[in-house]
């Protein structure tokens, strides 16, 4: 009987874990806020606060679509233990430069070390004025990631699309895919 209970608990827990699904090439809607297109079949992982697309696996490359961040809420990052309470909150009246600081502070509270966050540039987010920054991260096991983070404020909420890839090979190889996503944004 004990073995049966353990088996049932294990199956229940395993069924709650999110898993990747194959998303066919085409349009995808993000939180009824905007749509983007994938030019290739892609692995998709949906979670409560983000949607991730990856071709080669998230430890090599990924594009994350963060759930809209409402006023007085934190970025949907996975903070290192004890750092959640230190994370800053988004305000709908923030300037682009203040949002960059919010992102820099947020990443500094994760298990990755930001080695560079900056180079703020205006970039369209659909029909909205958006901004793009470069994000370089390093992990304690020595993995270096380069990325881009696109953001815009829409109806008082922060919209974010984050691309990160291993610095060697994957960043250059997957950057055109990310750029295609950025150009495909259509507001809902």
């Amino acid at each position: 009987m004990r073995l049966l209970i353990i088996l049932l608990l294990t199956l229940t827990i395993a069924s709650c874990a999110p898993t990747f699904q194959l998303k066919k090439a085409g349009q995808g809607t993000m939180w009824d806020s905007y749509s983007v297109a994938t030019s290739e079949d892609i692995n998709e992982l949906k979670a409560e606060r983000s949607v991730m697309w990856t071709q080669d696996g998230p430890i090599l490359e990924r594009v994350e679509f963060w759930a809209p961040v409402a006023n007085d809420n934190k970025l949907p990052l996975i903070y290192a233990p004890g750092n959640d309470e230190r994370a800053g909150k988004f305000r709908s009246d923030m300037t682009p430069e203040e949002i960059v600081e919010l992102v820099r502070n947020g990443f500094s509270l994760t298990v990755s070390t930001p080695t560079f966050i900056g180079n703020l540039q205006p970039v369209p987010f659909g029909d909205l004025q958006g901004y793009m920054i470069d994000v370089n991260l390093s992990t304690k096991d020595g993995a270096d990631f380069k990325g881009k983070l696109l953001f815009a404020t829409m109806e008082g909420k922060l919209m974010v699309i984050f691309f990160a890839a291993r610095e060697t090979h994957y960043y250059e190889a997957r950057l055109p895919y990310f750029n295609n996503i950025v150009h495909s944004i259509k507001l809902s």
Side-chain angles (χ1 to χ4, degrees), residues 37-188:
T38 175
S39 55
E40 58 192 46
D41 292 352
I42 197 83
N43 299 301
E44 179 179 68
L45 178 66
K46 290 184 177 183
E48 182 182 345
R49 299 178 65 189
S50 69
V51 173
M52 181 191 307
W53 288 354
T54 181
Q55 189 64 261
D56 302 304
I59 63 169
L60 298 176
E61 55 80 28
R62 66 188 178 275
V63 176
E64 297 176 10
F65 305 90
W66 294 358
V69 181
N71 195 46
D72 207 32
N73 284 322
K74 299 174 186 175
L75 300 177
L77 294 169
I78 299 172
Y79 299 103
N83 283 344
D84 188 55
E85 66 278 352
R86 294 177 41 206
K89 295 181 179 179
F90 170 71
R91 294 183 333 273
S92 59
D93 64 347
M94 288 178 124
T95 66
E97 293 80 9
E98 290 173 319
I99 293 171
V100 172
E101 287 305 312
L102 179 69
V103 168
R104 183 178 289 119
N105 175 49
F107 276 112
S108 73
L109 299 172
T110 68
V111 295
S112 297
T113 302
T115 56
F116 178 78
I117 295 178
N119 193 23
L120 180 66
Q121 300 289 320
V123 173
F125 191 106
D127 296 334
L128 295 174
Q129 175 62 64
Y131 296 90
M132 180 102 63
I133 57 174
D134 295 325
V135 177
N136 295 356
L137 304 169
S138 185
T139 63
K140 65 181 174 184
D141 67 356
D144 291 325
F145 291 85
K146 286 180 73 172
K148 301 272 186 188
L149 187 136
L150 173 66
F151 67 88
T153 303
M154 184 169 88
E155 298 174 0
K157 295 180 180 175
L158 181 65
M159 305 293 161
V160 177
I161 303 174
F162 174 55
F163 162 66
R166 289 278 178 115
E167 188 169 11
T168 54
H169 174 70
Y170 288 95
Y171 177 78
E172 292 299 327
R174 299 302 290 167
L175 184 58
Y177 176 74
F178 173 71
N179 289 333
N180 288 337
I181 289 172
V182 170
H183 294 303
S184 75
I185 297 171
K186 290 186 171 69
L187 304 180
S188 297

Side-chain angles (χ1 to χ4, degrees), residues 11-58:
L11 289 173
T12 302
I13 291 169
S15 68
C16 296
T19 57
F20 282 96
Q21 302 291 321
L22 181 64
K23 177 169 182 46
K24 295 291 189 180
Q27 290 291 117
T29 302
M30 301 298 164
W31 296 278
D32 298 325
S33 299
Y34 61 94
S35 67
V36 291
T38 175
S39 55
E40 58 192 46
D41 292 352
I42 197 83
N43 299 301
E44 179 179 68
L45 178 66
K46 290 184 177 183
E48 182 182 345
R49 299 178 65 189
S50 69
V51 173
M52 181 191 307
W53 288 354
T54 181
Q55 189 64 261
D56 302 304

